Short mmCIF file of all heavy atoms in Angstrom, two decimals:
data_model
loop_
_atom_site.label_atom_id
_atom_site.label_comp_id
_atom_site.label_asym_id
_atom_site.label_seq_id
_atom_site.Cartn_x
_atom_site.Cartn_y
_atom_site.Cartn_z
N GLY N 6 10.01 54.44 -139.91
CA GLY N 6 10.55 55.17 -141.11
C GLY N 6 10.74 56.65 -140.79
O GLY N 6 11.71 57.22 -141.19
N THR N 7 9.74 57.24 -140.09
CA THR N 7 9.82 58.62 -139.73
C THR N 7 9.31 58.78 -138.28
O THR N 7 8.58 57.90 -137.78
CB THR N 7 8.95 59.52 -140.62
OG1 THR N 7 7.54 59.19 -140.39
CG2 THR N 7 9.23 59.31 -142.08
N GLY N 8 9.64 59.94 -137.64
CA GLY N 8 9.16 60.20 -136.33
C GLY N 8 7.65 60.20 -136.24
O GLY N 8 7.06 59.89 -135.17
N GLY N 9 6.99 60.65 -137.34
CA GLY N 9 5.56 60.71 -137.31
C GLY N 9 4.87 59.41 -137.13
O GLY N 9 3.81 59.27 -136.49
N HIS N 10 5.50 58.32 -137.63
CA HIS N 10 5.00 56.99 -137.39
C HIS N 10 5.48 56.37 -136.11
O HIS N 10 4.80 55.55 -135.46
CB HIS N 10 5.46 56.02 -138.57
CG HIS N 10 4.90 56.42 -139.90
ND1 HIS N 10 3.61 56.71 -140.12
CD2 HIS N 10 5.51 56.57 -141.11
CE1 HIS N 10 3.39 57.03 -141.38
NE2 HIS N 10 4.56 56.95 -142.00
N VAL N 11 6.67 56.75 -135.69
CA VAL N 11 7.28 56.13 -134.50
C VAL N 11 6.66 56.65 -133.23
O VAL N 11 6.37 55.88 -132.29
CB VAL N 11 8.82 56.41 -134.51
CG1 VAL N 11 9.42 55.98 -133.16
CG2 VAL N 11 9.51 55.62 -135.60
N PHE N 12 6.42 57.99 -133.09
CA PHE N 12 6.01 58.47 -131.81
C PHE N 12 4.69 57.97 -131.31
O PHE N 12 4.53 57.68 -130.14
CB PHE N 12 6.04 60.03 -131.79
CG PHE N 12 5.76 60.53 -130.42
CD1 PHE N 12 6.75 60.48 -129.47
CD2 PHE N 12 4.51 60.92 -130.04
CE1 PHE N 12 6.50 60.88 -128.15
CE2 PHE N 12 4.24 61.35 -128.77
CZ PHE N 12 5.25 61.32 -127.77
N PRO N 13 3.61 57.83 -132.19
CA PRO N 13 2.36 57.28 -131.60
C PRO N 13 2.57 55.89 -131.02
O PRO N 13 1.96 55.61 -130.02
CB PRO N 13 1.47 57.25 -132.87
CG PRO N 13 1.98 58.34 -133.75
CD PRO N 13 3.46 58.30 -133.57
N ALA N 14 3.34 55.08 -131.65
CA ALA N 14 3.61 53.77 -131.10
C ALA N 14 4.31 53.82 -129.79
O ALA N 14 4.01 53.11 -128.80
CB ALA N 14 4.43 52.92 -132.09
N LEU N 15 5.29 54.67 -129.70
CA LEU N 15 6.04 54.92 -128.45
C LEU N 15 5.13 55.40 -127.34
O LEU N 15 5.22 54.98 -126.20
CB LEU N 15 7.21 55.86 -128.69
CG LEU N 15 8.00 56.31 -127.44
CD1 LEU N 15 8.63 55.12 -126.76
CD2 LEU N 15 9.02 57.36 -127.82
N ALA N 16 4.25 56.39 -127.70
CA ALA N 16 3.33 56.90 -126.72
C ALA N 16 2.40 55.82 -126.12
O ALA N 16 2.16 55.82 -124.89
CB ALA N 16 2.53 58.06 -127.32
N VAL N 17 1.94 54.93 -126.99
CA VAL N 17 1.10 53.85 -126.51
C VAL N 17 1.84 52.89 -125.62
O VAL N 17 1.35 52.43 -124.63
CB VAL N 17 0.45 53.15 -127.71
CG1 VAL N 17 -0.23 51.81 -127.29
CG2 VAL N 17 -0.58 54.03 -128.40
N ALA N 18 3.07 52.63 -126.03
CA ALA N 18 3.91 51.73 -125.20
C ALA N 18 4.05 52.25 -123.79
O ALA N 18 3.93 51.53 -122.80
CB ALA N 18 5.27 51.52 -125.87
N ARG N 19 4.37 53.57 -123.70
CA ARG N 19 4.56 54.18 -122.39
C ARG N 19 3.24 54.16 -121.61
O ARG N 19 3.21 53.88 -120.41
CB ARG N 19 5.06 55.63 -122.59
CG ARG N 19 6.48 55.68 -123.04
CD ARG N 19 6.87 57.14 -123.35
NE ARG N 19 8.33 57.27 -123.64
CZ ARG N 19 8.86 58.39 -124.04
NH1 ARG N 19 8.13 59.50 -124.22
NH2 ARG N 19 10.19 58.50 -124.26
N GLN N 20 2.14 54.46 -122.26
CA GLN N 20 0.84 54.50 -121.57
C GLN N 20 0.40 53.11 -121.12
O GLN N 20 -0.12 52.91 -120.02
CB GLN N 20 -0.23 55.09 -122.51
CG GLN N 20 -0.18 56.60 -122.60
CD GLN N 20 -0.51 57.30 -121.31
OE1 GLN N 20 -1.42 56.89 -120.57
NE2 GLN N 20 0.22 58.34 -121.04
N LEU N 21 0.63 52.12 -121.95
CA LEU N 21 0.29 50.72 -121.60
C LEU N 21 1.01 50.31 -120.31
O LEU N 21 0.52 49.65 -119.43
CB LEU N 21 0.61 49.76 -122.71
CG LEU N 21 -0.38 49.69 -123.85
CD1 LEU N 21 0.14 48.90 -125.05
CD2 LEU N 21 -1.72 49.17 -123.37
N ARG N 22 2.25 50.69 -120.22
CA ARG N 22 3.06 50.34 -119.04
C ARG N 22 2.49 51.01 -117.81
O ARG N 22 2.59 50.47 -116.70
CB ARG N 22 4.51 50.77 -119.22
CG ARG N 22 5.30 49.81 -120.16
CD ARG N 22 6.67 50.37 -120.50
NE ARG N 22 7.52 49.34 -121.10
CZ ARG N 22 8.70 49.60 -121.65
NH1 ARG N 22 9.15 50.83 -121.72
NH2 ARG N 22 9.40 48.58 -122.17
#
Side-chain angles (χ1 to χ4, degrees):
T7 68
H10 296 313
V11 168
F12 187 75
L15 173 59
V17 168
R19 289 174 172 173
Q20 284 293 320
L21 281 171
R22 284 170 165 172

